[in-house]
Amino acid sequence: MKVIDRKDEMRSWSRSVRAEGKRIGFVPTMGALHEGHLSLVRKSLEDNDCTVVSIYVNPTQFGPGEDLERYPRDLEGDIAKLGELGVDCVFTPCDEEMYPAGFVTYVVQERLTEVLCGASRPGHFRGVLTIVLKLFNVVEPDNAYFGRKDYQQSVIVKRMVKDLDLPVRIHVMPVVREADGLAMSSRNAYLSPEERALAPCLYKALLRGREMIRNGCTDVDAVEEAMKKMLESQPGVRVDYVNVVHPETLQRVEQAVPPVVIAGAVYIGAARLIDNVVVEG
Ligand code: AMP
């Protein structure tokens, strides 16, 4: 497995592979890899001749006071996991490589980035879209794989690809969960054992909302209130948002009629956890 930390080397590797007529799959990550990440990698290995995984904790998607410095890092362990799976290339650039001195150009997307996580993390999606576009430009993949765990991210990336005519196909894969329902996340490492025991409450609340909608409740306020109440009844849990939204526009729907997505974010201790469920039409 090749480990590359320079953009020019990454691009020439990709180009030489493509010159052989091979299709490239790409999985962008921030590392501290878990089964959620690895599910994307396995899918890429299945679909493509070559798979590139990037590991880069992107500073521009963290706000002031967020967890950039303490974000979990385990480059050696990550590389071992990817090697075992049969990944062809790992791209591990440094900040100077991705954001050289004088960097001032960003991707800003309207509307879709202003709701849900975008409302509580201003600038977050500007950082996400900027790094994803840069990585696409360096790796030049045919296919790229994202998790539905970050539902809003998957929607805005697909929108950017469409709006900017990027020559890559986006694939969105299901949420991988722990046995008790908690969505796997590198940030789960922040949870103390007591907080970890509480953490499945977010998924449970989302399932409750989905059940209400499936049972015919169309009152969005009632569904959101019920989920909020469930979460707020747990000491140590602070709700950021729980919203019933349109699957593509991400705007809050007027009536909870499927297809809709229920997305939520909560603070538990030092962790901000997000999750979502789709209510199919
Ligand atoms: P991250 O390292 O958190 O930036 O995540 C890299 C990619 O892995 C993103 O596309 C995430 O949506 C995806 N991912 C993270 N956790 C999960 C999970 N539990 N299930 C599926 N995909 C995930």
Side-chain angles (χ1 to χ4, degrees), residues 112-175:
L112 295 174
T113 58
E114 289 157 16
V115 293
L116 305 175
C117 286
S120 6
R121 303 185 68 192
H124 168 65
F125 288 118
R126 179 182 85 141
V128 169
L129 290 173
T130 302
I131 196 65
V132 169
L133 178 61
K134 286 170 65 65
L135 290 168
F136 284 173
N137 283 336
V138 172
V139 176
E140 299 184 339
D142 298 280
N143 295 296
Y145 298 82
F146 290 83
R148 209 195 66 212
K149 194 229 150 199
D150 300 273
Y151 186 82
Q152 185 172 18
Q153 172 173 281
S154 72
V155 171
I156 66 160
V157 167
K158 280 194 282 187
R159 191 71 236 180
M160 172 177 75
V161 165
K162 204 168 183 176
D163 288 353
L164 301 184
D165 306 304
L166 305 182
V168 56
R169 247 183 93 191
I170 304 299
H171 304 259
V172 181
M173 305 305 295
V175 185

Side-chain angles (χ1 to χ4, degrees), residues 27-37 39-40 56 61 71 145-151 153 173-177 182-187:
V27 183
T29 81
M30 298 208 298
L33 301 179
H34 50 68
E35 274 303 312
H37 298 114
S39 71
L40 309 182
Y56 179 59
Q61 70 189 71
Y71 194 83
Y145 298 82
F146 290 83
R148 209 195 66 212
K149 194 229 150 199
D150 300 273
Y151 186 82
Q153 172 173 281
M173 305 305 295
V175 185
V176 178
R177 300 181 178 282
L182 175 64
M184 289 191 183
S185 165
S186 308
R187 288 191 165 98

